[in-house]
Amino acid sequence: MAAQTTTGRCAVSSPSYELGSIGKKLRKMTLEQFRETCDPAEIIALRDQTTYDDCYAGHNVVLRTLGNPSPRDRVGIVTDLLDHGWEVGRMDLFMLLENKKRDVPVELPLVERLLAGGSDPNYLERRGSRPVMLLLRGWVSDEEAAPILDAILRDGRFEPHQRATDGQSVWRRLHQSRLNRAQSIDAIRAYCQRTGRPIPRLGDMPERSFDV
């Protein structure tokens, strides 16, 4: 996708502007529309013409695409881009899990690929949350979320004691959830035991619990 390609193929003018325009379109496209109108190799060539920042959605079309409301479409488009050489970014897992609509069987292979590519399971977004907090915030049950949580725990980099900007850790969020998060709590506790991470102990008063 060179600088002077036709607008029908997702193009505008400068590389940076074009990437921003493409990203906005991919957020609404179906996988079929993407394959008909966009060339992943040309999109990557545009990225290479910018001062690229993988956490800046103006350059990173994958971040925009991960906001696509259709699990099938966002997974398919991002997978196509990765297959053509787009590199996984630190924030990608966060953006995938920020979606409220989950389709775990569809999304799980991409979750595993993002983790393998170096996406950060502890990424702290400026509004305050971390990926596992998004996964377990209440839109899906423990049973539904389990395959994705298990993939994150197998990766080995997850730090359950890191806090959001409101000062709460994943542990505290889980115990404050209106849903029963016993399965997730047990999985994370077992992960802490297996990896030598400290396991917080529930105190008598909830407000005094999990002070690590």
Side-chain angles (χ1 to χ4, degrees):
M1 190 168 295
Q4 296 302 319
T5 51
T6 62
T7 55
R9 290 182 63 78
C10 304
V12 190
S13 53
S14 73
S16 184
Y17 188 90
E18 286 192 43
L19 285 172
S21 177
I22 291 167
K24 290 177 182 177
K25 292 177 181 179
L26 296 186
R27 194 180 182 101
K28 300 177 181 179
M29 275 189 183
T30 65
L31 177 59
E32 290 74 21
Q33 289 171 333
F34 171 75
R35 288 176 173 171
E36 289 172 2
T37 62
C38 293
D39 181 346
E42 291 184 359
I43 296 174
I44 291 169
L46 282 173
R47 180 202 62 190
D48 292 342
Q49 297 173 47
T50 67
T51 304
Y52 181 64
D53 179 350
D54 70 330
C55 292
Y56 174 50
H59 291 162
N60 190 345
V61 298
V62 163
L63 291 181
R64 296 284 184 120
T65 306
L66 289 170
N68 189 309
S70 164
R72 173 187 175 274
D73 294 327
R74 63 176 172 256
V75 168
I77 295 171
V78 169
T79 298
D80 277 6
L81 288 166
L82 295 178
D83 286 347
H84 281 81
W86 193 278
E87 292 146 3
V88 172
R90 292 164 290 167
M91 192 178 177
D92 292 354
L93 181 66
F94 180 96
M95 292 302 294
L96 177 62
L97 298 181
E98 191 176 39
N99 284 283
K100 297 177 182 179
K101 188 175 182 180
R102 296 257 74 83
D103 188 331
V104 172
V106 169
E107 294 176 298
L108 181 58
L110 181 58
V111 168
E112 293 172 335
R113 186 167 183 177
L114 295 178
L115 288 166
S119 195
D120 186 355
N122 304 300
Y123 188 87
L124 179 62
E125 199 264 346
R126 60 184 175 82
R127 287 168 290 183
S129 289
R130 297 183 186 272
V132 172
M133 292 177 177
L134 296 178
L135 174 65
L136 300 174
R137 62 185 162 181
W139 305 110
V140 296
S141 68
D142 267 13
E143 291 74 16
E144 291 174 292
I148 292 179
L149 179 60
D150 289 345
I152 292 172
L153 299 182
R154 285 196 307 272
D155 174 75
R157 291 175 292 149
F158 172 57
E159 298 293 346
H161 309 302
Q162 289 190 352
R163 300 174 185 272
T165 53
D166 63 1
Q168 292 188 334
S169 67
V170 172
W171 282 106
R172 182 177 289 276
R173 289 276 183 93
L174 287 174
H175 279 273
Q176 289 182 339
S177 174
R178 289 173 291 181
L179 300 180
N180 184 344
R181 291 301 186 193
Q183 181 176 331
S184 294
I185 290 169
D186 287 346
I188 295 174
R189 182 181 292 112
Y191 166 78
C192 288
Q193 291 174 328
R194 185 172 67 251
T195 61
R197 289 172 169 84
I199 302 173
R201 302 180 67 175
L202 182 63
D204 295 332
M205 299 293 288
E207 61 270 19
R208 295 178 184 171
S209 300
F210 307 114
D211 54 356
V212 298

